[in-house]
Amino acid sequence: MQHLRKWLVVLLCVAFVITLVACDKKPDEPKPTDVAPTEGEPGEPTEAPPPASDGVTLENIKLGFVHITDPSDMGYTYNHDLGTQKMARELGLTDDQIVNKFNTAEDAACEAALRELVEQGCHIIFATSFGFEDYVMEVASDYPDVEFCHASGYQAAVSEMPNVHNYFGKIYQARYLSGIAAGLKTENNLLGYVNAYPFAECIQGFTGFYLGAKSVNPDVEMIVMNTDSWNDPQKEAQVAKALIEQGCDVIGQHCDSTAPATAAEAEGAFHVGYNSDMIGAAPNATLTSAVWDWSRYLILAVSNYVDGKAIPKDWGEGLAEGAVDISRLNEALVAPGTAEAIEAAREKIVSGDWDVFTGPLVNNQGEVVVKEGETYIEPASSPAWEHILEGVTMIGD
Amino acid sequence: MNTLVSLLNAAVLAGTPLLLATCGEILTEKSGSLNLGVEGMMYMGAIAGLAGAWYVEQWFGHGGLLAAVFAFVFAFLCGALGGLIYAILTVSLRANQNVTGLTLAIFGTGFGKFFGEVLGHKAGGYVTVNAETKAMYGRINFGKLSEIPVLGTLFFKYNWLVYFALAVAILLGWFLNRTRKGLSLRAVGESPGTADSAGISVTRYRYLAALGGGGLCGLGGMYMSMVDQKGIWVHDCISGYGWLAIALVIFATWNPLRAIYCSIIFGGLSVMYMYVPISGLPLPIYRMFPYIATIIVLIITSMMQIKEHAQPAGTGLNYFREER
């Protein structure tokens, strides 16, 4: 009996660790041991020679993707996969030219997945989650002949490896437009935002959303609550409910699942989504979503490779180029005048004369972070905006 | 005050799937089987419940009550299937209970995700039930009762599964402590040899307890896919609640009635940061609270050594009649 209890304690401790760390993640795959690093040094400082595309054409090019979840999240990965499919259609690639590694954790599993993709003969490997970057850098230094493209990262521009590239986009412009729908809809003048982590990519996103709302509703304030996870549907639903109980009547989100949408619908609040048109999940709550069109970048990268041209080091396009946009408006729910207000803002942004982070902007400590008449421009691929503006409260920092 | 009421309301909602799964695990452990596969059985119940509701909508063209009934039955049966796998392996084939349970947790997680995916492909990418079915898992309309300040929010703002879980816990407490069959079940868990000598079938009790316990875990899983995710299949929807339920069994010292308030405490600790922000405390540490509480309770119960609060003596050990 004593013995058994000891074992039970040990087992439970193991279970806690699993729960805390990775119970929902795929277990690490064993690393291929037969991979001999071909080059330890991260290459000579170079003028980025064009990739070695000898004999590689659209018919035989092979692409690898590493995703943190899979398309069933109906969010980030779903949308990125739509981009992959669109690219494949437009370039005429077949299914067996694309290898997807879904549900890859941001740990050693990522490195194993990257190496497997190299082993399978991929020419370009796309890693789509922020936390993959360190593994990308490591694996890329071992395989200088393979091109690695990482979304939302920042290390490619400063690294000396010619085969690493970053891509992202001006999603804050789309968020600004979706924020207009929220700002016009809210009656309590209080928005809620289900946020993953308190770091630049997310802060930039909700600041764009907030500024959009504020542009049409100067009294609006916003509460941001973190879930501490990209994808924890249970937490996301609970956070959305907690925000609504604190008086928020429109919920925005930067997390992967539809849980905030359905939670808002159940509580009689409204919702602005991210990544995919979530109206199907919550027809009585979702107003619109800020969405990506990743196919633009994927087509560019693949065509450049095949043509023997270099893939851009640091790529980030916005509304004007069609890399980001908002999904259809839920006409039955949005406040009158929403479509017109969004169109006006869109024209302003697309014209290139004005951008979202235009001063005067004041942070929640009362300091001016962007002066009147100045505009803060985000670096192309890696968001760097970290100011929490006046009117925004963050919980769970 | 309002924050506290909202927190309690959210704690009950977060605690309900835990309560169902904990009751299931208590029933199983009381019969002498330590089934660590709760997470897996919850996944099985979650997907089976959603699939049941979705198929009813496809077959009959409308959802609502019928879909909810099917979801309930399917989730229970699928959870029980997990329990059956466990019982066959440990009771009949006498495999190691811990290993079997852990394997079941992995199997069930894969089962849920796999069929979630299959269903997603069938539904064209997006499994979701219609508004009629969703409404079955919304708040019960108590009319004026839920308008009462404080009490209304505390007692009358829940979906039917919350009250069902409460009833299950009370019934299970009554069954285990007040009925003849409950006594026999406890005897099987405490000392299978003695129970066998008294003419109680150890095999039958352990099978039935594993089946019933698995079914309850399945219902806990159904709660998470149908109530929390509103009838949409989301990967990772159980997110470790099965492991929490096992910890709760110890927290509640194998007593279903105590499990009621323990599950609310647990649920409360897991959502507390959303209602009571502590400035300066990093969120990852705040989120550890339920786990820290479990470890503390584990230590205290191990130190106190009260027989009534201890794990049934026969739990974790397979019974061989020949080795009595």
Side-chain angles (χ1 to χ4, degrees), chain A residues 4 12 16 19 24 70 72 74 225-228 233-234 238 241-242 245-246 259 262 265-267 281, chain B residues 6 9 13 98 113 125-126 134 139 224 228-230 234-236 241 243 250 273-275 287 294 315:
Chain A
L4 173 70
L12 277 163
F16 294 143
T19 314
D24 49 354
D70 66 54
S72 77
M74 297 314 292
M225 206 185 278
N226 297 316
T227 60
D228 200 29
Q234 185 67 13
Q238 289 168 342
K241 182 174 184 291
E245 277 164 12
Q246 285 163 37
T262 49
E265 185 175 50
E267 299 291 325
Chain B
S6 304
N9 177 278
L13 288 170
N98 295 337
K113 291 184 176 182
Y126 215 97
K134 262 188 213 171
R139 272 182 206 137
M224 302 194 73
D228 289 328
Q229 300 306 329
K230 314 289 182 301
V234 182
H235 269 349
D236 306 331
Y241 267 48
W243 301 110
I250 301 163
Y273 84 89
M274 301 167 196
Y275 294 87
R287 285 192 57 190
T294 311
T315 301

Side-chain angles (χ1 to χ4, degrees), chain B residues 248-260:
Chain B
L248 250 181
V249 171
I250 301 163
F251 202 8
T253 60
W254 290 268
N255 182 336
L257 299 177
R258 214 170 276 140
I260 296 172

Side-chain angles (χ1 to χ4, degrees), chain B residues 87-151:
Chain B
I88 291 174
L89 284 170
T90 60
V91 180
S92 299
L93 303 177
R94 303 198 173 107
N96 179 299
Q97 293 195 0
N98 295 337
V99 177
T100 309
L102 290 172
T103 316
L104 181 62
I106 300 166
F107 168 78
T109 306
F111 181 97
K113 291 184 176 182
F114 175 75
F115 285 104
E117 193 86 334
V118 170
L119 211 58
H121 280 291
K122 273 213 166 102
Y126 215 97
V127 196
T128 171
V129 296
N130 62 27
E132 225 180 331
T133 312
K134 262 188 213 171
M136 293 304 301
Y137 298 95
R139 272 182 206 137
I140 304 178
N141 185 4
F142 283 106
K144 287 242 157 52
L145 276 178
S146 35
E147 305 290 307
I148 309 171
V150 185
L151 293 182

